[in-house]
Amino acid sequence: MSTPQPGDALRTLPDSNWERGPSSHAEHLVEAGHVLQFPNLPFALEKDEQRFLDPSWSDGRSKNISLRGATELRGAQGGKDDLAALQAIIRRFAANAQALVDRMFPQYRGKLRAGNASLRPFAVEGRESSWRKDDTRLHVDAFPSNPTQGVRLLRVFTNLNPVGRPRIWRVGEPFADFANRFSPRLHRPLPASSFLLHALHITKSRRTPYDHAMLQLHDLAKADLEFQSASPQQEVAFAPGTTWVVFSDQVLHAVMAGQHMMEQTFYLRPTDQLAPETSPLRVLESLLHKTLV
Ligand code: SIN
Ligand code: FE
């Protein structure tokens, strides 16, 4: 399994149907750190659903409208019927994403756990945020309150912008290069800190040494402006109607522009991968010569 060369992160597949298509068995491509793109795989909204692209359905507190489990809608405001319609849209996207990953990754069947799905109605440009939350900077996904303990983050995205605007990403160097670059600056967690963070409900589960390392890598990358501008990277434009799939804990990414996207997160244990040694957990363990569980 070879990691992508600079400028070669994308793999383009022709499928135009979520349930059926010519492509399958793409585990080795995503695990190697490629972004799988389907330029002909739109998520269609019905005529009376188009109104939900307006950011005013957001409750203003969160940048996404998300569905947790089958029925818990978060981040939206509106009447009962509106919220039910919004929920139906996100649920339909979640079902499409599930169908896609089930046939693209037969090895993961029954092993992927679906997390939240979301509608992201806001424009990327002009969003105010701290450097740590600024996703226009290259990063791997790692979240302070959501330790994964090494479990993989596989994400399905679809651009559904109605006026032709692409979603522009930058995709960075392979994970092993990135980890190598910053590993001299990684330090250990303070003794008892993971226990305290969990006991105080700051984290939703125990923050393992792996989570601690990933959060540091996330922050080191975003804080390093030289790395941001000078490290190997390529710009990618996902046109409306395009779906893309990526291990976002592994692939360095940044979002530069765009509006209106759907997203579904899946979790996968490294031991359920085709090549577990490509997981950030195993790459970091072999780099640091210690277990991180
Ligand atoms: C991210 O995971 O960094 C956000 C990607 C996007 O909004 O396109
Ligand atoms: Fe991200």
Side-chain angles (χ1 to χ4, degrees):
M1 179 164 328
S2 58
T3 51
Q5 296 300 304
D8 185 37
L10 274 188
R11 283 292 175 270
T12 304
L13 298 168
D15 307 48
S16 58
N17 185 295
W18 294 88
E19 277 100 31
R20 293 177 303 284
S23 309
S24 185
H25 296 280
E27 295 90 345
H28 61 293
L29 292 174
V30 268
E31 291 189 18
H34 286 292
V35 180
L36 300 186
Q37 109 169 305
F38 302 85
N40 304 308
L41 194 53
F43 177 67
L45 294 182
E46 307 290 337
K47 223 178 175 62
D48 64 337
E49 292 176 333
Q50 299 278 346
R51 60 201 171 105
F52 293 114
L53 293 175
D54 190 321
S56 67
W57 295 98
S58 162
D59 66 7
R61 288 189 293 276
S62 140
K63 57 182 183 179
N64 307 328
I65 297 175
S66 60
L67 186 61
R68 190 196 270 222
T71 56
E72 193 187 338
L73 190 70
R74 299 182 154 206
Q77 59 175 357
K80 196 161 165 280
D81 291 349
D82 298 322
L83 295 180
L86 257 172
Q87 183 171 312
I89 292 170
I90 302 176
R91 204 181 309 125
R92 196 167 75 237
F93 181 76
N96 284 346
Q98 183 75 55
L100 180 69
V101 297
D102 278 346
R103 72 181 179 76
M104 289 307 300
F105 312 120
Q107 163 92 9
Y108 307 159
R109 221 170 271 167
K111 312 265 174 62
L112 287 167
R113 187 168 65 77
N116 292 353
S118 61
L119 163 63
R120 304 183 176 196
F122 289 101
V124 171
E125 300 92 326
R127 212 155 56 189
E128 288 285 311
S129 75
S130 66
W131 65 268
R132 203 176 255 120
K133 288 188 175 159
D134 180 1
D135 288 339
T136 70
R137 301 181 189 212
L138 286 165
H139 64 283
V140 288
D141 285 347
F143 304 102
S145 59
N146 278 315
T148 65
Q149 307 178 337
V151 171
R152 309 299 315 277
L153 294 172
L154 181 69
R155 299 200 132 133
V156 178
F157 301 97
T158 301
N159 181 357
L160 68 170
N161 184 272
V163 292
R165 291 188 61 203
R167 199 164 191 94
I168 310 286
W169 274 29
R170 289 185 292 144
V171 177
E173 67 189 359
F175 184 81
D177 296 354
F178 167 61
N180 242 313
R181 180 193 290 271
F182 285 107
S183 64
R185 286 152 73 183
L186 292 176
H187 54 79
R188 290 164 189 281
L190 295 173
S193 66
S194 75
F195 167 78
L196 282 172
L197 287 167
H198 191 203
L200 297 171
H201 303 289
I202 296 167
T203 54
K204 291 173 187 156
S205 56
R206 191 173 63 88
R207 185 183 290 177
T208 64
Y210 168 79
D211 294 301
H212 188 73
M214 288 294 280
L215 282 173
Q216 288 180 79
L217 287 173
H218 171 278
D219 288 1
L220 285 165
K222 281 189 175 174
D224 187 335
L225 296 182
E226 170 71 16
F227 169 74
Q228 288 296 324
S229 62
S231 68
Q233 56 190 274
Q234 73 185 98
E235 191 173 282
V236 187
F238 301 108
T242 301
T243 293
W244 62 106
V245 183
V246 62
F247 273 118
S248 65
D249 55 349
Q250 169 182 4
V251 175
L252 276 158
H253 60 282
V255 59
M256 309 315 291
Q259 186 175 7
H260 303 118
M261 184 174 74
M262 304 294 301
E263 176 270 341
Q264 167 74 61
T265 299
F266 293 98
Y267 299 97
L268 181 74
R269 287 193 306 257
T271 48
D272 292 326
Q273 288 184 231
L274 209 56
E277 68 274 13
T278 61
S279 65
L281 175 64
R282 292 278 294 275
V283 170
L284 288 170
E285 285 185 335
S286 76
L287 188 66
L288 302 172
H289 305 292
K290 59 183 174 202
T291 60
L292 295 174
V293 292

